[in-house]
Amino acid sequence: MSSLKRPASPTALLVSKPSPYHHTVTLFSEASGSTVGGESALRRSKRVKVEESSGPRSLQVEEQDEEEPRPPTKKPRRVKATPTPSTSAVKFEEIETVIAKTSRAKVKREPSASSPRKPKAIPQSLASPHPAPPDWRDTYDTIKRMRTKIVAPVDTMGCDQAQNKETEPQNRRFATLVSLMLSSQTKDEVTDTAVAKLRDALGGSITVRALIAAEESAVAEAIAKVGFWRRKTQYIRQTAQRLQDDFDSDVPKTVDELCSLPGVGPKMAFLALQVAWNINVGIGVDVHVHRITNRLGWHKPPTKNPEQTRLNLQSWLPTGLHPDINHMLVGFGQVMCLPVGPRCGECELSDGRCPSASKVAAKSRTRKVKTSTSATNPGPKLEIEIEDVKEEMTIPEDLLSPLSEVESTGS
């Protein structure tokens, strides 16, 4: 077996150091910055080649010039060689080398900051329109008539109310968007309180500049009662920054641009355009609209999420009714068609027009007042019965005489 040889290189200076992996092995490397004739020395890569011949096995260390150092992409692999009796004076048991296969290395490219990802377009129509339900107009008009007698939370504390305390049109639009973002998974009463606290925390007006300049803790404290308030704190701050950077600190005018903002979905986008810009391009469908239209049997088969509901409704409901149906059904769902325990006995559609109406008749609200006395308890006992719920209370002795006078006068 021939001894290990390293061809002399006139362009590089070698530096030896002991191998950290075995005490009998010495490693050689080029001195950093070594030059010959004003030119930088080329890096030498070592490759171990095992040659098979008729005689004993031999190892040769080949050198290859490389223009640039390339980082290893695989875990170091151990190459073990067993020496023969004819091995030279330098004996060793194993040599460790790093084999870099740069030709197969895959470089992951990061997206450029100057070219942001294009937002996914929001579908606006179905490939096959959903047929209009029979007698839907009569049902719609009946709900609308019942809504005139109902004052729901959405009527006084809905997202459209947030703009009323702002004077600048730009701030009115932004306050509407913020209110919509906070309203997700939150009751209108809680959202309205959070918007008021946020306005106070920002100095009396909800503006893009004030929200960016405000401390995150101050924003979080103001909206801490809404659902998912930690996430929404991040969303509204990031949205304010996006509006300042990309939309001249104003609310965008398209659904796709609105949905590209953090925490803004299709329902918020359609409602924001209707309230902030008076632009009607679709229906804002929330859990109330999704629940009630399915209870009415307007979707065949029933829809599984609000987006399916929106596309079905937009395919047959007249465009002129798109801005009103959300507000009408949300209030109807908050007071009458409740998620649990709907008040079907008080709904006009329970006459057979609603397939989901409960068959239980409404209990009559009767009130009965009885007075009685007993030998053990001389004081009169007052018994009140309201809807099969009885409450009893005993009248004290000091009230007995006025009662007796009334009875005697009445007789």
Side-chain angles (χ1 to χ4, degrees):
M1 180 177 179
S2 60
S3 60
L4 295 177
K5 296 181 180 180
R6 180 183 179 89
S9 173
T11 61
L13 299 178
L14 301 180
V15 177
S16 63
K17 61 180 180 179
S19 172
Y21 308 105
H22 200 277
H23 66 280
T24 62
V25 178
T26 301
L27 301 179
F28 295 90
S29 61
E30 296 175 359
S32 59
S34 59
T35 57
V36 176
E39 298 181 359
S40 299
L42 299 178
R43 178 184 179 276
R44 301 287 181 179
S45 65
K46 291 191 267 186
R47 297 184 180 179
V48 176
K49 182 178 180 182
V50 180
E51 293 185 351
E52 295 286 347
S53 62
S54 58
R57 299 171 62 192
S58 62
L59 295 178
Q60 285 187 350
V61 180
E62 295 184 352
E63 294 185 352
Q64 181 180 355
D65 292 343
E66 296 182 358
E67 295 181 0
E68 296 180 358
R70 299 178 181 178
T73 59
K74 292 184 65 177
K75 187 177 180 180
R77 186 176 67 184
R78 291 187 174 184
V79 180
K80 186 175 181 181
T82 304
T84 62
S86 59
T87 310
S88 60
V90 179
K91 297 181 180 181
F92 58 91
E93 295 180 356
E94 61 182 16
I95 298 177
E96 295 186 354
T97 60
V98 177
I99 303 175
K101 297 182 179 180
T102 55
S103 60
R104 297 182 182 179
K106 296 181 180 180
V107 180
K108 183 179 179 181
R109 297 183 178 180
E110 297 293 337
S112 174
S114 59
S115 57
R117 181 180 299 178
K118 187 177 180 181
K120 186 178 179 180
I122 303 300
Q124 295 290 339
S125 61
L126 292 173
S128 300
H130 188 282
D135 301 326
W136 70 267
R137 187 74 204 206
D138 176 63
T139 301
Y140 184 95
D141 291 340
T142 302
I143 296 176
K144 186 176 181 179
R145 183 172 61 253
M146 285 189 289
R147 273 290 278 123
T148 59
K149 304 175 184 178
I150 296 173
V151 179
V154 70
D155 298 328
T156 57
M157 293 173 284
C159 66
D160 56 330
Q161 302 297 316
Q163 61 179 340
N164 294 338
K165 295 186 178 181
E166 302 292 339
T167 56
E168 296 294 330
Q170 190 169 338
N171 298 340
R172 291 169 62 89
R173 292 188 286 266
F174 182 59
T176 300
L177 179 60
V178 170
S179 177
L180 283 167
M181 295 175 69
L182 297 180
S183 67
S184 176
Q185 303 294 320
T186 306
K187 292 184 178 181
D188 286 335
E189 301 92 323
V190 180
T191 302
D192 184 69
T193 302
V195 171
K197 289 184 177 180
L198 181 61
R199 180 176 286 110
D200 293 338
L202 298 181
S205 181
I206 301 178
T207 67
V208 172
R209 180 179 299 179
L211 191 55
I212 294 175
E215 294 290 337
E216 181 175 344
S217 58
V219 177
E221 183 179 357
I223 67 171
K225 296 297 182 180
V226 304
F228 306 101
W229 60 273
R230 290 185 180 87
R231 188 180 304 172
K232 290 177 182 179
T233 299
Q234 299 295 328
Y235 284 163
I236 62 177
R237 287 173 57 83
Q238 293 170 3
T239 293
Q241 190 64 55
R242 279 286 311 280
L243 294 182
Q244 185 184 64
D245 296 342
D246 301 335
F247 300 102
D248 196 23
S249 297
D250 206 347
V251 175
K253 289 185 177 181
T254 67
V255 174
D256 292 341
E257 289 176 334
L258 280 166
C259 288
S260 70
L261 301 173
V264 178
K267 179 204 77 170
M268 302 179 194
F270 289 114
L271 292 177
L273 290 178
Q274 291 169 357
V275 177
W277 290 107
N278 197 24
I279 297 176
N280 177 31
V281 291
I283 301 174
V285 175
D286 63 352
V287 292
H288 295 288
V289 179
H290 175 64
R291 179 182 71 254
I292 294 172
T293 55
N294 274 282
R295 284 180 175 177
L296 293 173
W298 283 1
H299 308 288
K300 302 293 183 181
T303 54
K304 298 181 180 180
N305 54 62
E307 269 298 275
Q308 292 181 4
T309 300
R310 176 181 69 83
L311 293 173
N312 278 2
L313 289 176
Q314 289 179 183
S315 66
W316 59 265
L317 188 69
T319 306
L321 301 179
H322 290 185
D324 301 328
I325 188 171
N326 177 274
H327 190 89
M328 182 184 74
L329 292 185
V330 168
F332 187 67
Q334 288 176 337
V335 177
M336 186 74 68
C337 195
L338 301 169
V340 180
R343 300 165 62 180
C344 299
E346 303 175 25
C347 179
E348 298 180 20
L349 298 176
S350 60
D351 57 2
R353 287 176 287 177
C354 177
S356 304
S358 173
K359 303 302 180 182
V360 180
K363 295 181 180 179
S364 59
R365 291 182 174 273
T366 59
R367 176 177 296 183
K368 299 178 181 179
V369 180
K370 299 178 181 179
T371 60
S372 61
T373 59
S374 62
T376 57
N377 186 8
K381 181 182 294 184
L382 183 65
E383 181 179 313
I384 301 175
E385 181 180 348
I386 301 177
E387 292 185 359
D388 299 332
V389 179
K390 297 182 179 180
E391 297 180 1
E392 295 183 356
M393 70 178 181
T394 301
I395 300 179
E397 289 291 341
D398 56 348
L399 298 180
L400 180 60
S401 54
L403 251 170
S404 303
E405 292 177 2
V406 173
E407 289 179 355
S408 60
T409 304
S411 59

